Amino acid sequence: MQVIQQTFQVQYSYGIHFTEGLFNTNNTLLPDLLKKDGSLGPRKLLFVLDSGVAAAHPTLQQDIKAFSEHYSQVLTAASDFIIIPGGEEAKNDPKYLQQILDAVNDHGICRHSYLVAIGGGAILDLAGFAAAISHRGIRHIRIPTTVLSQNDSGVGVKNSVNAFQKKNFLGTFAPPFAVLNDYHFLTTLEDRDWRSGISEAIKVALIKDAAFYDEIKTNAAKLVARDKAAMDSLIFRCAELHVAHIGGKDPFEMGSSRPLDFGHWAAHKLEQLTNYELRHGEAVAIGIALDVTYSMLSGRLSEQDWENVLALLVELGFDLYVPELSQTISETNQTLCISVGLREFREHLGGQLTIMLLNKIGEGEEVHQMDDAMVKKAVALLAQRYSKAPVIH
Amino acid sequence: MQVIQQTFQVQYSYGIHFTEGLFNTNNTLLPDLLKKDGSLGPRKLLFVLDSGVAAAHPTLQQDIKAFSEHYSQVLTAASDFIIIPGGEEAKNDPKYLQQILDAVNDHGICRHSYLVAIGGGAILDLAGFAAAISHRGIRHIRIPTTVLSQNDSGVGVKNSVNAFQKKNFLGTFAPPFAVLNDYHFLTTLEDRDWRSGISEAIKVALIKDAAFYDEIKTNAAKLVARDKAAMDSLIFRCAELHVAHIGGKDPFEMGSSRPLDFGHWAAHKLEQLTNYELRHGEAVAIGIALDVTYSMLSGRLSEQDWENVLALLVELGFDLYVPELSQTISETNQTLCISVGLREFREHLGGQLTIMLLNKIGEGEEVHQMDDAMVKKAVALLAQRYSKAPVIH
């Protein structure tokens, strides 16, 4: 029996650039990057905008047009802007994906043109997916506008939409051409969105970098007060840790290990159970609270570290309990819905269940089993401390 | 301004295995391959079958079930088979993609499970796309059942469906887990499908391997007579040349060079213009005839080589002219529809127009411009020689 063996490597490279006022005509970051792509004439850029960002920055479209005219040798912005409501709805309703694909077709966007997405994590996930499957991959530039997308979701290689009421059921791994983090977009965020992304920084600090955790702790009051320098530093270090991890052993997650998903198994389910009323970052804060509590109850984490983490989350303004955390399948089946979510999480990832727990601040440990009874105990503990309403039984 | 630079490589590896009777319980190829994936228990396999293959091999589903029971330690076939009509319709109608995604969800197929597709190129393209976007990529095994898919489309890294009436508008690059070429499936092919895939072997021989071209020429009568040894040899060498090219400089086609698309720019448009009445391989034969004629008319290719290629295509039974080749946009706009297709082809690939022409048998040359008038002249020459009906004006 004959075999032909195929083996090859694909090299990926992109920068996460930090700037302010990306579309000021005196800011040459974008044209400078585009000039490196080897194309001769001006490149076509099709812009997808988060409607929330478009509303908060009413001159944005005008600024981009003026920018495009100023740098007309290098780039041409497509005449239409694709404006899509931000948040999870963008990933839930297939019409938004179709809207972007229609525009890719209408504007003749090819593999050497660019789909540029400006918005929060949901818009970036959606636009990234549209870019990844159009013509087998058109170039994609991400301009994240929230703390969460600038320090975590926007700097990575994943994209997705939801299907079958499951988060990220459809998607690919597709590195962007570039990520452009513009602090200016953070200035108009609601407090809720400003805070939300901080949980991902706490997450990555807890499993990888105790010094970074201490920095967040020290800066907590400043972060609450929306101090620019404190947030700049948090976003940069958090992005750096995510980038280093992704560029490490398994960028496209072919194995079972997923340390960056610390606190996420419950978070994903809570987002769904609350009909996405909870922001991702808010759900992650609760997920972290749950997993540090489980880590403490199972004897891994000291009570002191446990209290330390909960106190930081509370200081930053996160709620650490929602009634959906205690929701069970039915009156007769008292299995927690989040435990069902754990099984769905494994199915999405595939392979062996692999969950990160905490040994101490800055050091995680992967386990391959979660004890349902102990999860219940952890939930009860959080309910007792942080519930604002009678617990659902 | 700060920058975080992300750089990583992803390594891909898979085999194209040649066998006969893949689902005979004494054939250990498939379980042997699965055992290497690092999983512990039996892996879930969800099968997608080309309805034509299912009809021509009425015991296939039964055989797979028996095979799955025999190797139950290693694999479990999902209880349902997803049966989809073969041919381009599978890629045109979005309901078939949805049908596979539904099954992936219903059967809990995860990233460490397998979607196994058995069929011609269209079914493999469709199933490959479904696998690539489910859970950001579930494992995919291809079992190509036509000459074309065993020697060309099935051994590569592309998948796709059609959209906006454009071929392969949606798709990704996603290497399979393995390709299993089973000669047994070729024995039930119609003559038309047996012949169709030979054009891809001629294509790759013409641009890369004069000795292989000579072999095809020598074996032409045997190939027409459906000689197994001649076909085995043709498929193996053709697959080998494709695999070597794909594993070379640019597996995911980030640049503009696409030598394996020799003869394809007109072929894609002809498939569409004939409502996919023409098989892909048949359209490629006409596309090759057109491009060697253009190569001859533009002074690249000798008349002797030109005649040689046309004679081989005719000997194998290919038609070298269809009226759609001469079709113009309208009475008043005498631009050929295939010239419009050339622009669409560039848009799909992106970047600079790059078309392979022929200098001599075994040696291609890329050009970045096609002269519309000379294309018309080449079409007229083919019409004069090979038209079976009055030419459309």
Side-chain angles (χ1 to χ4, degrees):
Chain A
M1 208 186 54
Q2 291 177 294
V3 185
I4 301 170
Q5 191 61 40
Q6 176 65 289
T7 303
F8 60 85
Q9 289 189 326
V10 179
Q11 167 108 17
Y12 297 96
S13 182
Y14 63 93
I16 295 98
H17 304 263
F18 293 78
T19 190
E20 235 183 300
L22 182 61
F23 296 111
N24 292 342
T25 50
N26 58 1
N27 190 329
T28 63
L29 173 61
L30 180 55
D32 287 349
L33 284 170
L34 292 173
K35 279 187 213 157
K36 292 182 192 155
D37 73 2
S39 298
L40 302 172
R43 299 101 184 123
K44 265 193 236 177
L45 274 61
L46 175 64
F47 283 85
V48 177
L49 305 187
D50 191 315
S51 63
V53 175
H57 299 267
T59 67
L60 181 60
Q61 295 173 57
Q62 207 173 303
D63 294 346
I64 292 173
K65 277 182 189 162
F67 190 82
S68 168
E69 274 160 35
H70 188 79
Y71 290 106
S72 61
Q73 306 277 314
V74 184
L75 62 100
T76 310
S79 50
D80 301 329
F81 290 85
I82 316 306
I83 302 189
I84 292 179
E88 210 62 23
E89 185 55 17
K91 294 170 65 176
N92 280 332
D93 189 335
K95 80 175 175 201
Y96 297 116
L97 176 61
Q98 193 58 46
Q99 192 183 338
I100 301 178
L101 298 176
D102 286 347
V104 166
N105 182 48
D106 292 344
H107 290 279
I109 299 301
C110 72
R111 269 187 217 168
H112 293 231
S113 304
Y114 294 81
L115 188 72
V116 184
I118 306 180
I123 293 292
L124 302 184
D125 277 356
L126 166 69
F129 184 55
I133 64 174
S134 295
H135 300 298
R136 297 198 183 99
I138 56 181
R139 291 177 182 159
H140 179 43
I141 293 178
R142 292 207 198 110
I143 303 177
T145 58
T146 61
V147 174
L148 183 80
S149 53
Q150 289 198 359
N151 74 6
D152 177 352
S153 65
V155 306
V157 296
K158 300 189 207 176
N159 56 60
S160 57
V161 294
N162 307 330
F164 307 108
Q165 304 187 305
K166 289 173 186 168
K167 196 167 157 81
N168 304 331
F169 189 92
L170 299 176
T172 74
F173 294 94
F177 178 80
V179 180
L180 311 177
N181 276 350
D182 184 344
Y183 183 83
H184 178 64
F185 288 114
L186 305 185
T187 59
T188 58
L189 291 179
E190 287 175 34
D191 279 347
R192 219 182 141 181
D193 290 310
W194 170 275
R195 173 170 50 241
S196 178
I198 300 175
S199 59
E200 296 285 1
I202 295 172
K203 169 204 77 178
V204 73
L206 282 175
I207 60 172
K208 284 182 181 276
D209 186 345
F212 181 38
Y213 179 85
D214 290 342
E215 183 198 307
I216 301 172
K217 191 99 182 167
T218 306
N219 286 342
K222 286 186 183 171
L223 287 167
V224 172
R226 300 188 66 145
D227 178 83
K228 179 178 186 308
M231 185 54 95
D232 271 346
S233 173
L234 177 134
I235 290 177
F236 190 84
R237 182 63 185 149
C238 182
E240 204 172 40
L241 286 166
H242 278 89
V243 164
H245 181 85
I246 293 164
K249 275 187 282 189
D250 190 15
F252 291 175
E253 297 177 5
M254 295 172 189
S256 295
S257 173
R258 296 276 300 267
L260 292 182
D261 278 340
F262 173 61
H264 277 59
W265 67 270
H268 283 171
K269 192 67 185 177
L270 285 175
E271 285 180 79
Q272 189 208 321
L273 290 173
T274 61
N275 289 314
Y276 299 97
E277 287 294 315
L278 273 186
R279 305 271 208 278
H280 179 67
E282 292 167 344
V284 168
I286 297 172
I288 292 172
L290 183 67
D291 281 355
V292 294
T293 304
Y294 186 100
S295 297
M296 181 275 289
L297 289 174
S298 60
R300 271 177 196 83
L301 188 68
S302 70
E303 276 201 49
Q304 192 190 346
D305 277 0
W306 172 64
E307 291 285 10
N308 188 319
V309 176
L310 295 180
L312 173 58
L313 291 168
V314 168
E315 183 180 358
L316 288 167
F318 287 108
D319 287 331
L320 299 189
Y321 181 79
V322 288
E324 288 80 1
L325 204 50
S326 306
Q327 194 175 319
T328 58
I329 293 179
S330 67
E331 282 286 322
T332 49
N333 185 339
Q334 289 287 303
T335 306
L336 289 176
C337 291
I338 56 165
S339 292
V340 177
L342 184 66
R343 286 191 279 283
E344 289 170 2
F345 189 67
R346 194 211 63 79
E347 189 172 296
H348 177 57
L349 304 186
Q352 197 180 7
L353 178 71
T354 305
I355 294 289
M356 181 63 93
L357 292 175
L358 216 57
N359 290 336
K360 60 180 184 188
I361 288 170
E363 186 188 304
E365 182 192 3
E366 289 188 329
V367 301
H368 300 290
Q369 219 175 328
M370 293 287 280
D371 179 59
D372 280 359
M374 200 173 283
V375 169
K376 271 201 171 168
K377 217 168 147 185
V379 167
L381 196 43
L382 291 178
Q384 185 195 321
R385 282 197 169 204
Y386 303 110
S387 171
K388 292 173 178 167
V391 178
I392 293 172
H393 285 294
Chain B
M1 207 184 56
Q2 290 176 296
V3 186
I4 301 169
Q5 191 61 39
Q6 175 67 287
T7 303
F8 60 84
Q9 290 189 326
V10 179
Q11 167 108 16
Y12 297 97
S13 181
Y14 63 94
I16 295 97
H17 303 263
F18 293 78
T19 190
E20 235 182 300
L22 181 62
F23 297 110
N24 293 342
T25 50
N26 57 1
N27 188 329
T28 63
L29 173 61
L30 180 55
D32 287 348
L33 284 171
L34 291 174
K35 277 186 216 159
K36 291 180 191 156
D37 73 2
S39 297
L40 300 173
R43 298 102 186 123
K44 265 193 235 176
L45 274 58
L46 175 64
F47 283 85
V48 177
L49 305 187
D50 190 316
S51 63
V53 175
H57 300 266
T59 66
L60 181 60
Q61 294 172 58
Q62 208 172 302
D63 294 347
I64 292 172
K65 277 182 190 163
F67 190 82
S68 167
E69 275 160 33
H70 188 79
Y71 291 106
S72 61
Q73 306 278 312
V74 184
L75 61 102
T76 310
S79 51
D80 301 328
F81 290 85
I82 317 305
I83 303 190
I84 291 179
E88 210 63 22
E89 186 53 18
K91 294 170 66 176
N92 280 332
D93 190 334
K95 81 176 174 201
Y96 297 116
L97 176 61
Q98 194 58 47
Q99 193 182 340
I100 300 178
L101 297 176
D102 286 347
V104 166
N105 182 49
D106 292 344
H107 290 278
I109 299 300
C110 71
R111 270 188 216 168
H112 292 230
S113 302
Y114 294 81
L115 187 72
V116 185
I118 307 180
I123 294 293
L124 302 184
D125 276 355
L126 166 69
F129 184 56
I133 63 174
S134 296
H135 300 298
R136 299 202 182 98
I138 55 182
R139 290 176 182 160
H140 178 44
I141 293 178
R142 291 206 199 112
I143 304 177
T145 58
T146 60
V147 175
L148 183 81
S149 53
Q150 289 198 359
N151 73 7
D152 176 352
S153 65
V155 306
V157 295
K158 299 189 209 179
N159 57 59
S160 57
V161 295
N162 307 331
F164 305 108
Q165 303 188 305
K166 288 172 186 169
K167 197 168 157 82
N168 303 332
F169 188 93
L170 299 176
T172 73
F173 294 94
F177 178 81
V179 181
L180 311 177
N181 276 350
D182 184 344
Y183 184 84
H184 178 64
F185 287 113
L186 305 185
T187 59
T188 58
L189 292 179
E190 289 175 34
D191 280 346
R192 217 182 143 181
D193 289 312
W194 171 275
R195 174 171 48 239
S196 178
I198 299 175
S199 59
E200 295 284 3
I202 295 172
K203 169 205 77 178
V204 74
L206 283 175
I207 60 169
K208 284 182 179 276
D209 187 346
F212 182 37
Y213 180 86
D214 291 343
E215 183 198 306
I216 301 172
K217 190 99 183 168
T218 306
N219 285 344
K222 286 186 184 171
L223 287 166
V224 172
R226 300 188 64 145
D227 178 82
K228 178 177 188 307
M231 186 54 95
D232 272 346
S233 173
L234 176 135
I235 290 176
F236 189 83
R237 182 62 185 147
C238 182
E240 204 171 39
L241 286 166
H242 278 91
V243 165
H245 181 84
I246 293 164
K249 274 186 283 187
D250 190 17
F252 290 174
E253 297 178 4
M254 295 171 189
S256 295
S257 173
R258 295 277 299 268
L260 293 180
D261 277 339
F262 175 59
H264 277 58
W265 67 269
H268 282 171
K269 192 68 186 178
L270 285 175
E271 286 180 79
Q272 188 208 324
L273 291 173
T274 61
N275 288 315
Y276 299 95
E277 287 294 316
L278 273 186
R279 303 273 209 278
H280 179 67
E282 293 168 343
V284 168
I286 297 172
I288 292 172
L290 182 67
D291 281 353
V292 294
T293 304
Y294 187 99
S295 298
M296 181 275 289
L297 289 175
S298 59
R300 272 177 195 81
L301 189 68
S302 71
E303 275 201 50
Q304 194 189 345
D305 277 2
W306 173 62
E307 291 285 8
N308 187 319
V309 176
L310 295 180
L312 174 58
L313 291 168
V314 167
E315 183 179 358
L316 289 167
F318 286 108
D319 287 331
L320 299 189
Y321 182 79
V322 287
E324 287 79 1
L325 205 49
S326 307
Q327 195 175 319
T328 57
I329 293 180
S330 68
E331 282 286 321
T332 48
N333 185 341
Q334 290 287 304
T335 306
L336 289 174
C337 291
I338 54 166
S339 292
V340 177
L342 184 65
R343 286 191 281 280
E344 289 170 2
F345 189 66
R346 193 211 62 79
E347 189 172 297
H348 178 54
L349 304 186
Q352 198 180 10
L353 177 72
T354 306
I355 294 290
M356 181 63 94
L357 293 175
L358 217 57
N359 290 335
K360 61 182 185 189
I361 288 169
E363 185 189 304
E365 183 194 0
E366 290 188 328
V367 300
H368 300 289
Q369 218 176 328
M370 293 286 280
D371 178 61
D372 280 0
M374 201 173 283
V375 170
K376 269 201 171 168
K377 218 167 146 184
V379 167
L381 194 46
L382 291 177
Q384 184 194 323
R385 283 198 168 200
Y386 302 111
S387 171
K388 290 172 180 169
V391 178
I392 292 173
H393 286 294

